[in-house]
Amino acid sequence: MIEVVAELSRGPVFLAGEALECVVTVTNPLPPTATSASSEALAWASAQIHCQFHASESRVALPPPDSSQPDVQPESQTVFLPHRGERGQCILSTPPKILFCDLRLDPGESKSYSYSEVLPIEGPPSFRGQSVKYVYKLTIGCQRVNSPITLLRVPLRVLVLTGLQDIRFPQDEAVAPSSPFLEEDEGGKKDSWLAELAGERLMAATSCRSLHLYNISDGRGKVGTFGIFKSVYRLGEDVVGTLNLGEGTVACLQFSVSLQTEERVQPEYQRRRRTGGIPSVSHVTHARHQESCLHTTRTSFSLPIPLSSTPGFCTAIVSLKWRLHFEFVTSREPGLVLLPPLEQPEPVTWTGPEQVPVDTFSWDLPIKVLPTSPTLASYAAPGPSTSTITI
């Protein structure tokens, strides 16, 4: 029996273009007092990163797969295929890397191997939607002699920042280590430079503040004015808005605002809808605020963007966009008053009306949500960084 442990040194969240580092430890768990005949051996071990794509058959119409390239490994083969037994299609993978060959471990002996690979920058982000799913995994394959391959899978979360694929790593002294006594390899310098560049771009895109005002009206007049200071956010930020109802000519009884994502299948991949069929557009609500606002002059709300959610993106098959979805309930009666008179000659019993004729309408305001620091996402939404398998 051999125990194989894979540990991600920095957590399971990465930015596309970063280098993933994983330590693979192989151990013979038998006590050292066991006889030498209890030594264990592995023929080889290899590692590879891949992205699995799965689409809902009721929502997405995909072209038939190429039958000349099957993605299922027959049991009689000994070829390392990381996506063997996985649902969907493998749309992206890195070249496999051999960790070791002909490894023999005595009882109680353990050896560790380091695996490093740059996550492809051209791939989609990790996403689990109602129409499609993009799932990243690091798969480590091990095999004994004359035995089937055993696969150890480590789930990953990949964030994508658009535009980084067009930037080249500088080859000048600006990226050299600040101390001549510290040595850093080329991959480490590029990784830190990319993370710093991504942080600067995110800060520049999300730090700009400028008040945007929107007049909200229905068919009978003005309801109020909505104000928001920016339209580009990062994961983990709060969307803060204000609503001024004092200038409205139509009484607003209640409003709600929802922070939503809109998942839309591209037209060429939409499955034709039948009567009562499943639509090609789906919405998910991540946060919601509701308030009764009659006689309210000014109010505000704050909606947090979950760190575990997916930033907006677009592929050939699906797009994901963020929005604020407003719903208003307004009175049909002009000059509606639902409060008792302030001055009464004698005490009276006052009750509000049992019924008020109302109208409802909705309004959508698009916003943009970008990734955040992978380290922050790892701490706030921790996932498994260690996976273990026994062979």
Side-chain angles (χ1 to χ4, degrees):
M1 181 175 63
I2 293 181
E3 183 182 71
V4 182
V5 179
E7 181 178 5
L8 300 173
S9 57
R10 205 203 61 188
V13 185
F14 297 88
L15 189 68
E18 280 190 305
L20 175 149
E21 293 184 358
C22 179
V23 177
V24 181
T25 303
V26 187
T27 305
N28 185 342
L30 293 177
T33 56
T35 62
S36 59
S38 301
S39 298
E40 299 283 354
L42 284 179
W44 58 267
S46 185
Q48 187 176 11
I49 299 172
H50 61 102
C51 176
Q52 291 294 123
F53 166 73
H54 175 71
S56 170
E57 296 181 357
S58 60
R59 296 173 180 266
V60 183
L62 295 176
D66 186 2
S67 59
S68 62
Q69 296 181 354
D71 59 352
V72 178
Q73 175 185 353
E75 295 184 359
S76 59
Q77 292 185 355
T78 58
V79 179
F80 173 51
L81 291 178
H83 53 276
R84 180 188 54 170
E86 294 271 54
R87 296 179 59 190
Q89 307 172 16
C90 180
I91 61 172
L92 189 67
S93 62
T94 60
K97 291 185 177 181
I98 297 177
L99 300 178
F100 58 80
C101 293
D102 298 329
L103 175 65
R104 179 172 294 275
L105 298 174
D106 294 328
E109 186 180 4
S110 176
K111 289 189 177 181
S112 297
Y113 301 88
S114 178
Y115 170 79
S116 179
E117 183 62 86
V118 176
L119 288 159
I121 204 167
E122 67 276 6
S126 298
F127 178 63
R128 293 181 179 270
Q130 299 185 24
S131 298
V132 303
K133 293 179 175 61
Y134 295 103
V135 180
Y136 282 84
K137 293 180 181 180
L138 165 64
T139 300
I140 300 169
C142 304
Q143 186 180 28
R144 291 175 179 268
V145 179
N146 299 324
S147 299
I149 297 176
T150 302
L151 300 179
L152 171 61
R153 293 190 171 101
V154 183
L156 309 173
R157 182 186 176 197
V158 178
L159 303 175
V160 174
L161 181 59
T162 305
L164 291 183
Q165 61 268 28
D166 301 326
I167 301 176
R168 294 184 178 181
F169 176 61
Q171 302 294 334
D172 52 24
E173 298 179 357
V175 296
S178 57
S179 173
F181 301 101
L182 298 178
E183 295 184 1
E184 189 175 10
D185 60 2
E186 189 75 9
K189 289 191 294 183
K190 182 176 181 179
D191 192 31
S192 61
W193 175 81
L194 182 66
E196 181 179 353
L197 176 63
E200 292 177 356
R201 288 205 162 194
L202 288 172
M203 184 63 68
T206 58
S207 62
C208 298
R209 291 179 175 269
S210 178
L211 180 60
H212 302 275
L213 297 176
Y214 302 88
N215 290 324
I216 303 172
S217 304
D218 63 2
R220 293 176 291 108
K222 183 177 179 180
V223 176
T225 303
F226 173 68
I228 192 170
F229 285 94
K230 63 178 187 176
S231 60
V232 182
Y233 300 85
R234 285 181 292 177
L235 295 179
E237 287 190 305
D238 294 337
V239 180
V240 179
T242 60
L243 192 61
N244 188 349
L245 302 173
E247 303 174 354
T249 59
V250 178
C252 183
L253 306 181
Q254 179 180 287
F255 82 93
S256 66
V257 54
S258 301
L259 178 64
Q260 297 181 339
T261 49
E262 179 185 87
E263 180 185 359
R264 182 183 296 271
V265 180
Q266 304 291 7
E268 56 268 31
Y269 292 100
Q270 292 180 6
R271 189 169 294 279
R272 294 183 179 179
R273 292 186 58 187
R274 301 177 182 176
T275 303
I278 300 177
S280 58
V281 180
S282 57
H283 299 94
V284 175
T285 298
H286 300 275
R288 188 172 186 267
H289 173 85
Q290 181 173 312
E291 185 176 337
S292 297
C293 55
L294 182 63
H295 304 298
T296 298
T297 302
R298 187 180 183 88
T299 185
S300 63
F301 63 85
S302 178
L303 300 176
I305 303 175
L307 280 166
S308 58
S309 57
T310 302
F313 71 94
C314 182
T315 66
I317 298 177
V318 72
S319 65
L320 185 75
K321 297 181 179 180
W322 287 76
R323 71 177 188 178
L324 294 177
H325 177 71
F326 292 85
E327 295 181 355
F328 295 91
V329 179
T330 58
S331 171
R332 295 181 183 176
E333 297 181 358
L336 178 66
V337 177
L338 294 182
L339 292 178
L342 297 178
E343 297 181 0
Q344 288 286 354
E346 58 184 23
V348 295
T349 300
W350 179 89
T351 58
E354 295 182 356
Q355 294 183 350
V356 177
V358 297
D359 287 327
T360 61
F361 69 96
S362 61
W363 173 55
D364 295 326
L365 177 64
I367 62 173
K368 191 173 183 179
V369 175
L370 301 177
T372 187
S373 164
T375 304
L376 177 62
S378 297
Y379 284 134
S385 298
T386 304
S387 298
T388 305
I389 194 172
T390 301
I391 306 175

